[in-house]
Every structure is written in C-alpha cells, then in structure tokens.
Amino acid sequence: MKIYTLHKKQKLPISLEKGWEFLSNPKNLKTITPDYMSFDILSGADRPMFPGQIIQYIVTPILGIKTKWVTEITHVKDKEYFVDEQRFGPYALWHHKHFIKEINGGIEMEDVIDYKVPMGFLGQMAHPFLVKPKLEEIFEYRQKNW
C-alpha cells in the first residue's frame, strides 16, 4: 500500500516562544481547522503537551461524516518539534512531524505528514480527488488564518 507525504512550510512574523506556545497547545488545533469540519476535542488537551499524551477528537472531514480520531504525541523537543501519530481514525497511517525554527523576522513552521489512505486500491483511487485536495485545503486555511 502506498505511503503519501504532505510537506508544508509557513513563515510567521512572531517570536519562537509565541509560536511554540500556540503550536504545542492541543486546544489551538480547533482555531486553525476550518469550521465546517466541526472539530471538537473530547479529551486529552487539559495539560501541556508531553510524550505519551493521548488526545481524542471528533472531526467531520468529508461528506458530513463524523469521525473519531485518536492521536498520541510521541516525541516533543521544546521549541523545536513534536510528533503526533494516529492511534485510531480515518487513515490507515498518520505520522505528523511539526518543526519550528527561528528565522530572520520570525519563525518558520514546517509540517511533514506521512499517511496511508484506508480501503486499499479504492482508497488510492480516491486519494487524488478526495483526500489530497482536502489536506491541501486544510493547510491553505491554516496559512490564511494564522
């Protein structure tokens, strides 16, 4: 089964401390997710991010279908990066690396997501028409609303 990669970078005119404070707080994910996705955190976002943290969400990614999504924060290096991995949810694999670094005039945030779609060959057929455009749309929303 094919593993896809989405790689995005974004520059923001804010301090490293402010960027990390926002990025590493799971409650802020709702802020940078389009409203139509009805993103709601069910549990796990009541503490600062730490390795082993389990966060449960409900999200409506496509066709109005509510989906439970459970992720684990597997790695955290303060003010540098963290990794979340799906434990249960819409993907056959979801491994999302979030990097942040100071640059001239602010910070650069980088996302690298390795993922597999479910349903084998059918999922691969739907990827270019449904999954990839939806992920691109979400990151475009984030760039406009940060």
Side-chain angles (χ1 to χ4, degrees):
M1 189 181 290
K2 184 167 175 56
I3 296 178
Y4 300 96
T5 299
L6 180 69
H7 187 196
K8 296 289 182 182
K9 289 184 180 183
Q10 179 175 1
K11 295 177 183 173
L12 296 169
I14 59 176
S15 70
L16 182 64
E17 289 75 21
K18 185 175 180 179
W20 181 256
E21 181 182 320
F22 184 89
L23 185 64
S24 65
N25 182 342
K27 292 179 183 175
N28 289 328
L29 192 52
K30 183 176 178 80
T31 305
I32 56 173
T33 302
D35 291 339
Y36 73 84
M37 293 186 72
S38 302
F39 183 90
D40 285 310
I41 298 174
L42 300 175
S43 67
D46 56 336
R47 296 182 183 184
M49 189 169 38
F50 61 91
Q53 185 174 21
I54 300 291
I55 306 167
Q56 296 183 56
Y57 320 89
I58 293 286
V59 66
T60 309
I62 56 169
L63 307 172
I65 301 168
K66 288 191 178 289
T67 303
K68 187 169 188 179
W69 195 335
V70 178
T71 59
E72 178 181 357
I73 304 300
T74 58
H75 300 79
V76 178
K77 186 163 184 188
D78 190 50
K79 295 183 188 74
E80 288 188 36
Y81 69 87
F82 71 93
V83 178
D84 69 81
E85 297 181 25
Q86 175 189 285
R87 294 295 176 241
F88 176 83
Y91 291 89
L93 168 77
W94 179 268
H95 185 270
H96 186 174
K97 298 173 285 289
H98 308 254
F99 298 98
I100 185 171
K101 69 178 181 181
E102 202 163 22
I103 59 170
N104 203 5
I107 61 168
E108 178 182 80
M109 293 189 323
E110 180 179 13
D111 291 275
V112 180
I113 305 166
D114 295 297
Y115 64 99
K116 286 198 270 186
V117 294
M119 301 188 297
F121 181 71
L122 289 176
Q124 288 181 20
M125 295 292 290
H127 178 260
F129 305 105
L130 192 60
V131 179
K132 185 177 180 183
K134 184 60 65 178
L135 287 173
E136 293 284 350
E137 177 184 305
I138 290 166
F139 278 90
E140 185 176 308
Y141 179 89
R142 289 179 181 181
Q143 287 199 328
K144 289 179 182 174
N145 293 284
W146 239 87

